[in-house]
Amino acid sequence: HIFDLLFYQGENLMHTPFHERRKKLEKITHQEKHKLVLTENIITEDESEVETFYKKVLQEGYEGLVGKKLDAPYRPGRYVEGWVKLKPVLESLDLLIVSAEYGEGKRAGWLTSYTLACRKDGKLVEVGKASTGLKEKAEGLSFKDMTKLLKPLIIEQKGKEVKVKPLLVIEVGYEEIQKSSTYDSGWALRFPRLINLRDDKGVKDCDDIKRIEYIYNSQRGKK
């Protein structure tokens, strides 16, 4: 599914307005003999049309929409002007940290990557690793704070990785839940990020596998 065009037949199109890049794409995909599919789009100022289109793509199993300014050039990067993502915000999960890894460079000495687990049949099973969402400095919950909390819980260390007593519950955000053979839960969080420390919760209060399965079945228009 082709959605943008940055360079074509020796011409750099990075600074060309999006509506001109789109016209070139339409021409290319019309002439191309191979199975190149141009992404579906609408051009509108009507909010209800956007909402209808948004619901349609979610039902078809897509992640959401990307809204683009017609006169915008292409700028690389995650947070830039000219386009914005529109997709559902899934409920956060309360998960336990069962292991962690020390960082490198300016994060050396801090535990900065955390393996997360949920409950399943009285045991803990892993659902992913998170290393974003925290601050490097003392502005809210920081890597330094997490390291201070986790160090007393260390029960085993191999190289940079440590196993910890599963006592620390963290609120975790993510973009999607996927099936996975990487983790023993059978599930994986896509782009997990730490939101907040749940010091009001214990091991028995963290989310279980049934809630993860429920959210998986409700996302992206799944029945």
Side-chain angles (χ1 to χ4, degrees):
H1 290 261
I2 301 172
F3 59 90
D4 214 329
L5 182 66
L6 308 184
F7 194 87
Y8 183 61
Q9 293 185 342
E11 183 182 4
N12 186 344
L13 303 174
M14 295 277 284
H15 302 291
T16 302
F18 172 70
H19 67 90
E20 293 184 21
R21 304 198 306 271
R22 177 79 185 191
K23 284 181 181 178
K24 287 182 180 289
L25 276 179
E26 290 171 353
K27 185 178 179 180
I28 292 167
T29 53
H30 179 72
Q31 295 174 343
E32 181 60 57
K33 295 180 180 179
H34 301 294
K35 293 182 179 179
L36 298 178
V37 180
L38 188 59
T39 52
E40 184 180 358
N41 78 333
I42 60 171
I43 298 175
T44 182
E45 294 181 356
D46 187 334
E47 191 173 323
S48 63
E49 285 188 39
V50 176
E51 185 175 359
T52 299
F53 188 50
Y54 178 57
K55 290 178 179 177
K56 172 181 175 290
V57 298
L58 292 180
Q59 286 296 323
E60 291 174 351
Y62 293 99
E63 185 176 329
L65 299 178
V66 177
K68 295 189 176 184
K69 290 178 63 177
L70 292 176
D71 60 352
Y74 183 89
R75 293 188 179 94
R78 188 168 184 180
Y79 302 104
V80 295
E81 294 181 1
W83 62 269
V84 63
K85 286 183 179 180
L86 178 63
K87 56 187 178 181
V89 177
L90 298 175
E91 300 174 45
S92 61
L93 292 166
D94 292 325
L95 302 171
L96 281 157
I97 295 178
V98 293
S99 66
E101 291 183 23
Y102 282 101
E104 298 179 347
K106 61 182 179 180
R107 294 184 179 182
W110 293 339
L111 292 166
T112 59
S113 178
Y114 316 99
T115 301
L116 308 165
C118 68
R119 292 181 293 112
K120 181 182 180 181
D121 300 328
K123 298 180 181 180
L124 294 176
V125 289
E126 296 177 359
V127 293
K129 288 187 177 182
S131 57
T132 60
L134 300 185
K135 307 294 184 183
E136 293 184 1
K137 297 181 180 179
E139 301 170 356
L141 189 63
S142 67
F143 291 119
K144 183 178 180 180
D145 295 331
M146 288 294 293
T147 303
K148 187 176 180 180
L149 291 168
L150 287 170
K151 271 192 171 182
L153 304 178
I154 294 175
I155 54 179
E156 183 182 339
Q157 180 168 352
K158 290 183 179 180
K160 294 191 300 180
E161 185 175 359
V162 299
K163 288 186 178 181
V164 298
K165 294 179 183 177
L167 298 177
L168 211 59
V169 180
I170 292 289
E171 182 183 1
V172 180
Y174 52 93
E175 292 198 1
E176 186 182 15
I177 296 175
Q178 299 173 325
K179 292 184 178 181
S180 173
S181 58
T182 302
Y183 300 105
D184 56 0
S185 67
W187 305 99
L189 304 181
R190 185 168 178 251
F191 299 133
R193 62 192 181 281
L194 305 184
I195 298 175
N196 199 14
L197 178 66
R198 294 305 305 265
D199 50 9
D200 59 324
K201 292 195 172 186
V203 177
K204 295 181 180 180
D205 303 313
C206 77
D207 284 311
D208 62 16
I209 198 74
K210 291 182 180 179
R211 183 154 187 262
I212 288 176
E213 291 171 351
Y214 172 80
I215 295 174
Y216 170 80
N217 287 321
S218 66
Q219 69 190 10
R220 284 199 181 190
K222 292 186 176 69
K223 301 297 184 182

